[in-house]
Amino acid sequence: MTRLARDVMTPDPACCTAGTTVDEIARLMLANDCGEIPIVDTADHVIGVVTDRDIVCRVVAQGKNPIAHTAKECMTQSIVTVDPETPVDEVVAAMERHQIRRVPVVVDGGCCAGIISQADLARTESEHEVAELVREVSQQTGRASR
């Protein structure tokens, strides 16, 4: 039986808006033990994500005050999403192709229903498949991965 995105995703992840301050996002990450927060618009559609790396590279390392800056200023807007019915092997292939460590799962035209991380896949998929994912995502390309 083919496992689907809905079978491995973490449901109902913490989300915030583009106006949420970076320090609030960091606290959400800490409270939810995660490294990525989906950013949603007023209709709850995913419009971007903020990763722990986004906070470090786009705010802290540039000497910006996390209290004075918002998700809109540091979020990654070109995001890859999957549908709950996407087979897990296609989810893994998308993560490898785009070199991303997490992928939001969306329904109803973009509403966030869950998120899949490498850790979620490590708990459910074969060691070989997870090792291949980590290898592909970790390839040097000269661009920052999330």
Side-chain angles (χ1 to χ4, degrees), residues 67-87:
I67 296 170
H69 293 276
T70 63
K72 183 177 182 177
E73 298 170 66
C74 71
M75 70 182 184
T76 298
Q77 294 181 47
S78 58
I79 57 169
V80 175
T81 61
V82 297
D83 180 275
E85 302 303 311
T86 304

Side-chain angles (χ1 to χ4, degrees), residues 22-146:
V22 174
D23 65 307
E24 291 177 77
I25 297 168
R27 282 194 292 278
L28 269 176
M29 288 178 177
L30 180 63
N32 291 280
D33 190 27
C34 66
E36 180 173 290
I37 301 290
I39 310 303
V40 297
D41 63 14
T42 55
D44 284 333
H45 293 126
V46 178
I47 59 169
V49 296
V50 173
T51 67
D52 44 11
R53 182 174 173 85
D54 290 334
I55 291 172
V56 170
C57 295
R58 297 178 181 165
V59 179
V60 177
Q62 293 184 19
K64 296 177 181 175
N65 181 349
I67 296 170
H69 293 276
T70 63
K72 183 177 182 177
E73 298 170 66
C74 71
M75 70 182 184
T76 298
Q77 294 181 47
S78 58
I79 57 169
V80 175
T81 61
V82 297
D83 180 275
E85 302 303 311
T86 304
V88 170
D89 60 334
E90 290 180 28
V91 172
V92 170
M95 292 171 78
E96 289 175 354
R97 185 171 49 259
H98 296 282
Q99 290 191 293
I100 55 175
R101 291 171 169 77
R102 305 164 192 95
V103 62
V105 180
V106 297
V107 296
D108 300 328
C111 293
C112 192
I115 196 160
I116 298 174
S117 68
Q118 285 181 333
D120 294 322
L121 295 168
R123 286 189 287 274
T124 61
E125 302 308 303
S126 74
E127 285 181 31
H128 173 74
E129 189 167 25
V130 174
E132 180 66 17
L133 171 62
V134 171
R135 186 180 74 74
E136 289 298 319
V137 168
S138 301
Q139 298 261 339
Q140 290 288 356
T141 64
R143 62 185 180 126
S145 62
R146 55 181 181 98

